[in-house]
């Protein structure tokens, strides 16, 4: 009886320590207590699988005084730290002209071509390839917003198509001239129903092809990716892939966002990506994912997760975050050879200062564009950025703590190949 009682007490302790997420997470958590972090090896992972991160905000963060460290606590170039953690690809968003007439940046990293080249050079210097993510907008492009750049606003469709082609080709030529190892290009960002102000799929398809042609001419070895989201919506990806096929769109990779809070099950993700890969002969990947490690807000600007109504399948802990990333990688690997990679979105978008120094933080966000939007963005995006401009909404989803020190979960990118070692 004593032994039964002891087992019961231990079980209650384990479940209490690791939340109510179920037996699998409890086992993972209890084993993590032995080694600091426990991750199972991803089965079927091929050696050239893309283990990427999007660090588009990094220049603005560094200009705001943010420093990053290695595991020993010494200041170190974040690109070196990422490489040491197993990252082999860097993604960077590119906006045409994220500035007002007076040169004030819209924020979100002020990610124009100049900043993208800086990031690409640092990635290449550390042995990582670059994914150039063209939004074809002057600020954030997503399913709700696909606004054409200011310079394209009054162009005819044919002239817009030419402008997109030229902009893409000239940008890639500038990157290559800078010695950047560009491995992939996204022609648009989360283009579920729009691209550069166009919402008709016949016109969107022509724009996709204009971008694709530019990539092919700049370097035929660069992969062309198209990026969509909401895999949880029944039939969405099948319809999009068929529409692209019907309009003869030239591309290599069908990329999806997958945030566990919003985008359904991993089983469904694998299923819809497998269907696209098998039906149309495309490579598939996850272009964006992330998960929380803490519920704390680091900079005084509200975070996007966790919130009531969101799906939290993992504990809000460092271990839970690592499990979430590992399982997305497994889901893409389960597609087979066509499943080529996963990118973590903004793992370094940490606070520019503590939450209690909000006014100081606001000044840094406005000056350097290190928050998601500045007040200057109101001229271009009045309904969203114009009302809610501010700091990082994902500092609690970073793979670095609020002080710039790497979390153990950053090492998920190397541990998926081997699993984590146990301490004796």
């Amino acid at each position: 009886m004593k032994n039964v009682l002891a087992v019961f007490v231990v079980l209650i302790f384990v479940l209490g320590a690791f939340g109510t997420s179920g037996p699998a997470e409890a086992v993972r958590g209890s084993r993590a207590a032995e080694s600091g972090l426990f991750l199972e090896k991803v089965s079927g992972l091929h050696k050239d699988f893309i283990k990427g991160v999007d660090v588009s905000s990094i220049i603005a963060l560094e200009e705001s005084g943010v420093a990053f460290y290695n595991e020993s606590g010494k200041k170190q170039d974040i690109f070196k730290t990422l490489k040491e953690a197993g990252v082999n690809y860097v993604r960077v968003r590119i906006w045409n002209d994220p500035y007002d007439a007076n040169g004030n940046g819209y924020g979100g990293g002020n990610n124009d071509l100049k900043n993208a080249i800086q990031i690409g050079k640092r990635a290449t210097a550390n042995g990582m390839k670059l994914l150039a993510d063209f939004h074809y907008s002057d600020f954030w492009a997503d399913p709700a917003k696909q606004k054409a750049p200011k310079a394209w606003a009054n162009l005819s469709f044919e002239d817009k198509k030419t402008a997109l082609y030229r902009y893409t080709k000239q940008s890639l030529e500038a990157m290559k001239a800078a010695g950047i190892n560009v491995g992939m290009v996204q022609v648009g960002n989360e283009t579920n129903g729009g691209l550069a102000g166009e919402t008709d799929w016949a016109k969107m398809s022509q724009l996709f092809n204009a971008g694709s042609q530019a990539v092919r001419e700049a370097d035929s070895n660069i992969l062309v990716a198209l990026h969509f989201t909401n895999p949880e919506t029944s039939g969405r990806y099948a319809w999009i892939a068929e529409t692209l096929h019907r309009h003869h769109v030239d591309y290599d990779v069908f990329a999806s966002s997958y945030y566990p809070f919003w985008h359904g099950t991993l089983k469904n993700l694998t299923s819809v990506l497998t269907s696209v890969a098998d039906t149309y002969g495309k490579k598939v990947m996850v272009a964006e994912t992330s998960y929380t490690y803490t519920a704390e807000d680091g900079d005084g600007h509200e975070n996007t997760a966790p919130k009531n109504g969101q799906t939290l399948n993992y504990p809000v802990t460092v271990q839970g975050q690592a499990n979430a990333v590992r399982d997305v990688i497994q889901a893409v690997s389960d597609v087979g050879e066509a499943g080529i990679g996963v990118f973590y979105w903004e793992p370094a978008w940490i606070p520019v200062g503590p939450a209690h120094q909000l006014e100081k933080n606001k000044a840094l966000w406005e000056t350097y564009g290190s928050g998601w939007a500045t007040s200057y963005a109101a001229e271009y995006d009045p309904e969203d950025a114009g009302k809610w401009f501010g700091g990082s909404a994902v500092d609690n989803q970073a793979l670095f703590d609020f002080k710039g020190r790497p979390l153990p979960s950053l090492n998920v990118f190397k541990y998926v190949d081997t699993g984590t070692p146990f301490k004796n």
Side-chain angles (χ1 to χ4, degrees):
M1 184 65 182
K2 287 183 177 179
N3 290 338
V4 173
L5 181 60
V7 170
F8 179 75
V9 170
V10 169
L11 181 60
I12 292 297
F13 172 78
V14 169
L15 291 175
F18 296 97
T20 57
S21 51
E25 291 300 331
V27 169
R28 285 175 168 181
S30 62
R31 295 177 75 180
E34 300 174 20
S35 60
L37 186 73
F38 171 73
L39 287 171
E40 298 172 350
K41 176 182 177 179
V42 169
S43 60
L45 195 68
H46 47 88
K47 61 180 178 60
D48 55 350
F49 191 88
I50 294 171
K51 293 173 282 189
V53 297
D54 186 322
V55 288
S56 298
S57 63
I58 191 62
I59 303 297
L61 288 168
E62 291 173 341
E63 289 177 343
S64 299
V66 175
F68 292 90
Y69 301 84
N70 61 20
E71 290 184 335
S72 300
K74 299 179 69 173
K75 283 187 180 181
Q76 179 169 286
D77 182 359
I78 189 174
F79 289 85
K80 181 178 181 181
T81 304
L82 293 171
K83 179 66 174 179
E84 290 172 348
V87 174
N88 57 17
Y89 237 102
V90 167
R91 179 177 184 254
V92 62
R93 56 183 169 269
I94 303 172
W95 295 320
N96 289 41
D97 180 25
Y99 298 91
D100 69 11
N102 296 316
N104 298 304
Y106 291 162
N110 296 335
N111 287 107
D112 59 4
L113 178 61
K114 180 181 176 182
N115 271 358
I117 287 175
Q118 285 191 61
I119 291 170
K121 289 172 69 175
R122 290 171 67 180
T124 299
N126 284 277
M128 297 177 283
K129 290 186 178 181
L130 188 76
L131 163 54
D133 172 18
F134 289 96
H135 284 220
Y136 302 115
S137 179
D138 288 339
F139 207 40
W140 300 104
D142 55 46
K145 296 181 292 187
Q146 291 286 338
K147 189 173 182 179
K150 296 184 291 291
W152 301 359
N154 298 317
L155 297 180
S156 68
F157 176 70
E158 288 301 318
D159 286 344
K160 182 188 288 185
K161 188 166 62 173
T162 299
L164 188 149
Y165 162 80
R166 288 176 176 169
Y167 176 73
T168 306
K169 188 172 182 181
Q170 290 170 2
S171 297
L172 290 175
E173 288 173 343
M175 290 181 179
K176 290 178 64 64
I180 298 170
N181 185 5
V182 182
M184 192 184 309
V185 167
Q186 267 184 230
V187 180
N189 189 79
E190 293 189 331
T191 52
N192 283 24
L195 177 64
E198 303 296 336
T199 57
D200 175 78
W201 275 88
K203 289 185 174 180
M204 288 168 58
S205 295
Q206 291 184 56
L207 293 177
F208 286 140
N209 275 335
S212 179
Q213 180 185 350
V215 177
R216 304 296 191 205
E217 291 178 3
D219 187 337
S220 61
N221 293 313
I222 296 175
L223 293 173
V224 176
L226 303 183
H227 179 204
F228 309 98
T229 191
N230 300 109
E232 79 285 3
T233 305
S234 179
R236 181 186 297 274
Y237 281 7
W239 183 88
I240 290 175
E242 172 57 26
T243 301
L244 296 171
H245 177 72
R246 189 169 66 250
H247 288 285
H248 307 288
V249 176
D250 174 26
Y251 72 105
D252 304 302
V253 184
F254 189 103
S256 175
S257 291
Y258 178 79
Y259 293 98
F261 326 108
W262 306 305
H263 293 153
T265 67
L266 289 168
K267 181 178 179 181
N268 176 70
L269 177 68
T270 300
S271 176
V272 295
L273 292 181
T274 299
S275 179
V276 171
D278 290 350
T279 306
Y280 301 100
K282 301 300 180 182
K283 303 177 190 299
V284 295
M285 72 177 193
V286 166
E288 296 180 17
T289 192
S290 68
Y291 199 76
T292 53
Y293 76 92
T294 178
E296 184 181 352
D297 166 37
D299 65 359
H301 180 86
E302 184 182 4
N303 293 328
T304 55
K307 292 181 179 178
N308 290 334
Q310 292 178 340
T311 302
L312 300 174
N313 287 325
Y314 301 86
V316 180
T317 62
V318 173
Q319 179 68 57
Q321 180 186 55
N323 292 343
V325 182
R326 182 257 170 222
D327 289 354
V328 174
I329 292 173
Q330 182 69 71
V332 175
S333 178
D334 286 346
V335 173
E337 286 298 314
I340 64 169
V342 169
F343 287 83
Y344 196 95
W345 195 73
E346 288 285 6
W349 207 344
I350 63 174
V352 297
H356 68 268
Q357 295 181 2
L358 181 57
E359 293 306 312
K360 183 178 179 181
N361 295 344
K362 287 180 178 179
L364 292 170
W365 300 331
E366 287 285 288
T367 302
Y368 300 107
S370 47
W372 88 269
T374 68
S375 63
Y376 306 113
E379 65 162 29
Y380 187 76
D381 181 17
E383 294 304 313
D384 193 2
K387 294 179 180 179
W388 310 110
F389 60 90
S392 172
V394 294
D395 52 44
N396 67 329
Q397 296 179 58
L399 297 175
F400 293 80
D401 69 15
F402 294 162
K403 300 292 187 181
R405 297 165 298 200
L407 297 170
S409 48
L410 178 63
N411 288 313
V412 65
F413 298 105
K414 63 183 178 185
Y415 287 150
V416 291
D417 290 319
T418 61
T420 46
F422 289 109
K423 292 181 179 179
N424 295 323

